[in-house]
Amino acid sequence: MSDIEVELPDGSRRSLPEGASALDLASAIGKRLAKDALAAQVNGQLTDLTAPLPAGASVAIVTPASELGREVIRHSSAHVLAQAVTRLWPGAHYAIGPAITDGFYYDFELPGGAHFSDDDLVRIDAEMRAIIAEDQPFTRSEYSIDEGLALFEDQPFKQAIINAVAHAPSDEDLAEVDSTSSVSTYSNSPAFTDLCRGPHVPSTQRLGHFKLTRVAGAYWRGDEKNPQLQRIYGTAWESEAALAAHLELLAQAELRDHRKLGQELDLFSFPSEVGPGLAVFHPKGGTMRRVMEEYSRKRHEVSGYDFVYSPHITKSELFEISGHLDWFAESMYPPMELDGGTTYYLKPMNCPFHTLIFKSNQRSYRDLPLRYFEFGSVYRYEKSGVVHGLTRVRGMTQDDAHIFCTKEQMGEELTRTLQFVLDLLRDFGLNDFYLELSTRPPGKAVGTDEEWDEAEATLESVAIAAGLDLVMDPGGGAFYGPKISVQARDAIGRTHQMSTVQLDFQTPQRFDATYVAADNTRTLPIMIHRALFGSVERFMAILLEHYAGNMPTWLCPEQVRVLGVRDDHDAYAIYVAETLALEGVRAGVEGANEPLGARIRKAKLEKIPYILVVGDDDVEKATLGVNARGSNDPERGVSVAEFRARLLEEIATHGSPGDR
RNA sequence: GCCUGGGUAGCUCAGUCGGUAGAGCAACGCAUUCGUAAUGCGUAGGUCAGGAGUUCGAAUCUCCUCCCAGGCUCCA
């Protein structure tokens, strides 16, 4: 028997007997590796450990504590989940069960239309642990399409996948199989076989660091016209420590939840009397919001925007012209009928109003670009299941602007706009960005190919010039124009879609909004829609979560709180607060009715940046005790003048306590 | 809109088998005057989300509605 040679990830080569598997290779390298090995990556393809290696292949052994290893663990855990469910609910149909970020899920249809309850998770968990303890080996088999159909005669979803694969496979189907002419299966006991491309861990005993997290409904193939299946989600890891770390991360994320912080810090609420997705801002949240808006206005003013205002409701005619009623009506609040049959709508967007403002006068090419900005409150009838805190609401205020420019100006305007966006976001402390470019949707784009080509090329070069990573989203643009969106990563690595810059070839045309060009022809302008915060509400939510409620000092509703040690220090405390207030600092005072420790604690829980404690020494020497947020080590004897200077500097530079 | 779970004092929550409402914090009052994360005592606070039903009796069981959470779908 001749030997084969394979290449390892470090570039070295090894000879193995023909027919040797990745497991043999791992054993040849070392006992530890052989014991750890879960699967192999052969010429870039994930395969089972036991599959024979082709000659000349480049081979990497996949071990548990790696992204690929975790993916294999999660996928295998999904199989065990399905096996457990079929044991507990004989006759259950299982549909698809992939590995996902941090975990896995599996979709089921239970006999008699039964549904999973939360309590069922406990039983399923126990059954899964029993299967794992049984140390069942995963074994792969291959069948023809017809054999596959026969094998899964009781499993309609598996048959549907096989049929789809044999005829018109989708990406989703191809994830389950690796050939369109045959099907592969994995059995981890004679009682349970699943259609699957693999690979899987060698045996169920390699699993076990998992937790079933929730049950949910999910439509078959993600289409709401299809029957709804029962989905179980779980998370799975290579070790108990990694599982615990992940659960801890989830707990941390929960502490940052803006809805919780909004309650704790008394910023906003959603009174049920008002309705879902409709927030009210309390004084503290109102202050935070006002500061955000004022800053944004100031920046817009400097950047050449004009400020406009438009009403919250309008006759339906406006949205007939804009076309919203044709394709957005479902997301609009139902019409109000007034004045003998005229219908009015709450506005879901500001752009038609801004276009009318553009049209209100004859425009010359010399006037362009025109940049109209508005904090425009819009109302969208979001489906009841999608509203979520301040991030997905039914009433929101967009920091919306529409720029009308000539085709020649488009490139420069986009460059300016993107730079403006990034500068503004950085001023709020976000600084880890990437861009996503959504290009023309095939078959339904308005505007000429030439316009699209130019716009997409411009957006792309602008994005590249910004020096940020660019992710393409082919076909993801709206039919009326391509867009670029800024994605920001927050302090715990989550990404949020922030600003969008959207080109629009359609609206000026629909409104017949033209300008007079240098050659005296009436010409359609290019319209750029852009929102930087997206919505003020959502942006505040993202900042709250990014900072875990510890907002930079300039955004805090109360920036300092002065506490007298005894009540005969209150007068001095008030004097200190007033001194700072004269400089625009938001300073509060709490009199000495409670012990100092209690008042400190209260202020700490409110996440106030600076607690100033003043006692006998301070009254005498015009000083302060400074207890900064995030510190448990107060600084005594700081002069009022020095503290004021430091604080004003911090506010001006958008810093936080502890930045120095 | 769909699936699963939830809604008890301002907040966080407990409430057993269906027997008639509890705690801590907050609020208010009195006392306490204190140097860096909870001073003591007292008082008040409830249509148990809303409605209907079963029952001698419902926070508890059933149904409907509203609202919230996690998913699915959606996010032009």
Side-chain angles (χ1 to χ4, degrees):
Chain A
M1 200 189 268
S2 57
D3 281 3
I4 58 167
E5 194 167 74
V6 297
E7 188 182 333
L8 301 179
D10 64 1
S12 66
R13 301 185 149 271
R14 275 202 183 241
S15 289
L16 293 165
E18 195 179 330
S21 67
L23 184 58
D24 299 325
L25 171 65
S27 304
I29 296 171
K31 261 169 83 176
R32 275 278 291 283
L33 186 63
K35 190 163 160 270
D36 268 2
L38 284 183
Q41 199 175 16
V42 178
N43 296 327
Q45 282 280 65
L46 269 179
T47 65
D48 288 316
L49 220 42
T50 49
L53 293 171
S58 67
V59 182
I61 302 297
V62 174
T63 52
S66 67
E67 267 319 299
L68 286 173
R70 286 187 276 262
E71 189 181 322
V72 172
I73 286 168
R74 287 164 188 159
H75 192 180
S76 299
S77 298
H79 275 232
V80 173
L81 167 59
Q83 185 179 3
V85 168
T86 56
R87 278 191 183 182
L88 293 168
W89 282 266
H93 296 147
Y94 42 109
I96 58 167
I100 54 173
T101 308
D102 297 337
F104 59 93
Y105 68 80
Y106 216 114
D107 287 346
F108 302 94
E109 182 183 59
L110 298 181
H115 291 147
F116 292 121
S117 72
D118 281 2
D119 295 339
D120 291 333
L121 289 186
V122 179
R123 296 169 56 206
I124 297 166
D125 181 280
E127 196 63 37
M128 286 176 70
R129 291 186 198 282
I131 290 166
I132 288 165
E134 285 165 23
D135 194 12
Q136 302 175 359
F138 277 88
T139 52
R140 180 187 173 98
S141 311
E142 309 239 359
Y143 298 94
S144 70
I145 295 289
D146 287 342
E147 287 168 335
L149 289 172
L151 190 63
F152 291 105
E153 62 178 348
D154 297 329
Q155 291 294 336
F157 298 108
K158 296 298 171 187
Q159 291 202 322
I161 294 167
I162 295 171
N163 278 320
V165 161
H167 301 109
S170 67
D171 289 351
E172 198 180 27
D173 297 320
L174 291 173
E176 301 286 311
V177 297
D178 54 7
S179 158
T180 54
S181 57
S182 66
V183 297
S184 58
T185 64
Y186 281 79
S187 301
N188 41 341
S189 83
F192 183 76
T193 298
D194 195 1
L195 181 69
C196 187
R197 166 172 77 169
H200 282 289
V201 298
S203 104
T204 58
Q205 201 165 49
R206 305 296 292 275
L207 307 171
H209 313 294
F210 73 92
K211 181 173 163 50
L212 297 181
T213 47
R214 56 182 54 101
V215 339
Y219 300 103
W220 167 238
R221 292 185 182 282
D223 186 334
E224 64 182 320
K225 292 192 274 298
N226 285 336
Q228 189 163 42
L229 306 177
Q230 295 284 302
R231 176 172 297 178
I232 294 178
Y233 282 94
T235 182
W237 296 83
E238 71 276 15
S239 66
E240 280 308 296
L243 173 63
H246 176 69
L247 295 176
E248 174 60 22
L249 194 76
L250 292 184
Q252 287 302 319
E254 213 171 296
L255 288 178
R256 294 178 171 254
D257 190 313
H258 74 276
R259 293 163 301 183
K260 192 176 160 71
L261 289 165
Q263 168 77 260
E264 286 169 1
L265 302 181
D266 193 17
L267 301 175
F268 51 80
S269 60
F270 295 88
S272 65
E273 296 86 339
V274 179
L278 298 167
V280 294
F281 283 77
H282 303 188
K284 289 176 188 172
T287 298
M288 194 180 287
R289 177 173 174 160
R290 194 194 83 226
V291 173
M292 289 167 60
E293 291 180 353
E294 280 172 356
Y295 184 74
S296 166
R297 281 204 186 87
K298 204 172 81 192
R299 294 297 306 263
H300 277 86
E301 191 174 4
V302 171
S303 293
Y305 285 81
D306 296 318
F307 291 71
V308 298
Y309 294 86
S310 59
H312 290 207
I313 65 170
T314 172
K315 286 199 286 190
S316 56
E317 187 183 351
L318 185 66
F319 292 120
E320 281 158 18
I321 298 171
S322 71
H324 284 94
L325 282 173
D326 295 334
W327 43 272
F328 200 68
E330 227 177 60
S331 298
M332 290 166 68
Y333 272 87
M336 288 166 267
E337 202 161 296
L338 306 169
D339 303 336
T342 310
T343 53
Y344 281 77
Y345 282 93
L346 277 169
K347 66 170 167 179
M349 291 185 185
N350 303 303
C351 35
F353 297 88
H354 294 185
T355 309
L356 290 181
I357 295 168
F358 178 86
K359 250 192 95 170
S360 68
N361 214 325
Q362 196 161 58
R363 306 294 174 185
S364 152
Y365 71 99
R366 298 175 198 269
D367 299 330
L368 304 185
L370 278 170
R371 310 185 186 96
Y372 294 150
F373 174 83
E374 175 177 13
F375 275 113
S377 295
V378 298
Y379 298 88
R380 298 179 182 183
Y381 189 73
E382 302 283 1
K383 285 191 196 173
S384 65
V386 308
V387 297
H388 176 95
L390 285 179
T391 59
R392 192 80 183 266
V393 290
R394 284 181 170 174
M396 60 174 161
T397 302
Q398 295 181 308
D399 60 333
D400 207 3
H402 296 91
I403 301 170
F404 299 86
C405 64
T406 67
K407 203 182 269 186
E408 294 68 41
Q409 290 168 333
M410 179 172 77
E412 195 197 325
E413 275 307 304
L414 289 171
T415 306
R416 274 179 60 114
T417 304
L418 189 64
Q419 195 55 50
F420 181 52
V421 171
L422 296 173
D423 284 351
L424 191 86
L425 294 178
R426 287 191 180 107
D427 285 341
F428 282 92
L430 297 169
N431 41 37
D432 187 0
F433 306 116
Y434 67 92
L435 303 173
E436 190 171 282
L437 176 57
S438 303
T439 58
R440 94 191 72 180
K444 51 175 186 174
V446 303
T448 64
D449 282 354
E450 188 190 27
E451 277 174 326
W452 277 88
D453 288 342
E454 188 184 342
E456 287 174 9
T458 307
L459 282 173
E460 188 168 352
S461 66
V462 163
I464 289 165
L468 297 171
D469 287 342
L470 180 66
V471 176
M472 297 303 288
D473 173 27
F479 67 87
Y480 55 77
K483 73 171 176 195
I484 195 160
S485 57
V486 178
Q487 312 277 334
R489 289 186 193 87
D490 71 10
I492 56 172
R494 296 173 302 182
T495 63
H496 306 275
Q497 178 176 316
M498 308 294 316
S499 320
T500 55
V501 178
Q502 166 101 50
L503 277 160
D504 183 352
F505 304 134
Q506 150 134 327
T507 302
Q509 189 184 353
R510 291 194 75 119
F511 278 87
D512 192 27
T514 58
Y515 65 95
V516 179
D519 64 0
N520 199 30
T521 57
R522 287 186 180 259
T523 307
L524 288 170
I526 301 286
M527 189 172 175
I528 301 171
H529 304 241
R530 37 111 296 180
L532 309 192
F533 294 159
S535 82
V536 183
E537 292 83 354
R538 192 176 111 92
F539 191 64
M540 185 190 284
I542 290 169
L543 289 181
L544 280 169
E545 301 203 356
H546 176 63
Y547 288 113
N550 297 305
M551 303 298 270
T553 305
W554 71 293
L555 290 170
C556 289
E558 191 173 343
Q559 295 167 317
V560 305
R561 180 171 295 170
V562 193
L563 307 177
V565 173
R566 282 190 319 270
D567 56 9
D568 52 322
H569 301 128
D570 284 355
Y572 179 69
I574 290 166
Y575 158 76
V576 170
E578 283 176 351
T579 303
L580 294 170
L582 282 175
E583 306 285 344
V585 174
R586 294 182 287 276
V589 176
E590 188 184 357
N593 286 316
E594 278 185 286
L596 184 61
R599 288 178 289 150
I600 302 252
R601 177 183 149 83
K602 205 154 81 180
K604 288 279 185 189
L605 290 175
E606 290 179 51
K607 301 185 191 293
I608 293 170
Y610 293 98
I611 301 165
L612 306 179
V613 174
V614 293
D616 289 335
D617 298 351
D618 300 298
V619 173
E620 195 179 314
K621 298 182 198 146
T623 56
L624 307 160
V626 179
N627 187 332
R629 189 177 67 200
S631 153
N632 279 315
D633 181 24
E635 194 182 353
R636 292 282 296 270
V638 180
S639 80
V640 174
E642 190 199 333
F643 175 75
R644 184 181 62 189
R646 275 197 227 159
L647 180 66
L648 292 178
E649 167 74 8
E650 180 173 304
I651 290 170
T653 57
H654 295 184
S656 292
D659 285 352
R660 282 186 306 133

